[in-house]
Amino acid sequence: APRRRLAGNVLRDQALLVSGLLVDERGGPSVKPYQPAKLWSEASNFTYKADRGKDLYRRSLYTYWKRTLAPPSMAVLDSADREQCSVRPKHTNTPLQALTLLNETCFFEAARKLGERMLAAGQSAGEQITFAFRTVTSRSPSNRELDLLREAFASYEAAFTRAPDAAKRALHVGESIPDRALNTIKLAAATALANVLL
């Protein structure tokens, strides 16, 4: 993959789009997506109350910013702070960025919804993985990539079969409701694979 990833706001919007969560509504007031509890009160003596429903899934363009306190996931992903004009964005690669993309509520919830789309896209694991890969990357996986992803999918399914409580916990991240028609173990495995792809 290229060494430089997309900008933080584009990564978030892309994850919401491919998952089917993105609310493509134009205009309106700023919205407050997920954020770690008590972050604002510890950093600036203000309180932050995340929005509910569709406002959690609006484009990053509409995210509420305090000038001195950027949304944490955007700050980690190199968004410019708003205390001064920034002509050239900074580009860094840090382990914290990878952890944000794997664990932050919005990204993990998007992975679950992409996992739901993946399971609905075909009967075989190969069809499902190919759909998810094409959705995220806009190309078909090579035979080697497909074999690796099949192995990963099978190992995730085996791990969640051994720990069904972990599968249930993985499906209840974020406000959106998981599709109850889908098998919990399969959906948790698909979520883990979609998380890797995102």
Side-chain angles (χ1 to χ4, degrees):
R3 190 177 80 71
R4 286 191 177 169
R5 53 163 173 68
L6 298 171
N9 60 320
V10 177
L11 280 171
R12 179 180 175 275
D13 291 354
Q14 183 231 15
L16 290 173
L17 177 69
V18 299
S19 69
L21 283 170
L22 184 69
V23 174
D24 196 18
E25 189 177 293
R26 295 204 174 128
S30 296
V31 294
K32 294 179 177 175
Y34 301 114
Q35 185 168 292
K38 299 182 182 178
L39 177 70
W40 273 25
S41 59
E42 290 180 16
S44 66
N45 293 326
F46 285 93
T47 57
Y48 181 94
K49 187 171 189 292
D51 285 326
R52 311 265 321 181
K54 68 178 186 169
D55 285 345
L56 290 170
Y57 313 114
R58 302 253 343 254
R59 289 187 185 281
S60 298
L61 170 70
Y62 299 107
T63 299
Y64 182 83
W65 284 60
K66 279 181 65 63
R67 188 172 46 160
T68 57
L69 194 59
S73 61
M74 295 296 109
V76 167
L77 295 169
D78 293 335
S79 289
D81 66 34
R82 298 196 173 179
E83 294 183 43
Q84 59 197 20
C85 178
S86 179
V87 178
R88 184 179 303 169
K90 57 186 173 177
H91 294 284
T92 63
N93 280 326
T94 68
L96 187 55
Q97 291 167 339
L99 289 171
T100 298
L101 295 174
L102 286 170
N103 297 310
E104 198 264 341
T105 304
C106 179
F107 288 104
F108 196 84
E109 184 178 17
R112 178 171 44 82
K113 292 311 252 186
L114 178 58
E116 290 177 12
R117 292 185 67 202
M118 177 181 145
L119 292 178
Q123 294 299 314
S124 72
E127 289 174 327
Q128 295 166 346
I129 293 167
T130 299
F131 167 81
F133 192 95
R134 283 183 55 102
T135 301
V136 173
T137 66
S138 299
R139 70 173 176 86
S140 295
S142 68
N143 290 336
R144 175 82 175 123
E145 289 167 331
L146 190 55
D147 289 342
L148 287 170
L149 292 170
R150 269 195 188 115
E151 275 179 45
F153 193 37
S155 71
Y156 297 144
E157 199 169 347
F160 283 122
T161 300
R162 289 190 302 275
D165 288 342
K168 287 178 187 166
R169 281 194 309 275
L171 300 185
H172 294 293
V173 173
E175 192 178 280
S176 66
I177 298 168
D179 185 345
R180 299 197 194 292
L182 296 172
N183 176 287
T184 301
I185 304 298
K186 283 236 183 256
L187 181 53
T191 298
L193 189 73
N195 203 12
V196 167
L197 290 173
L198 287 174

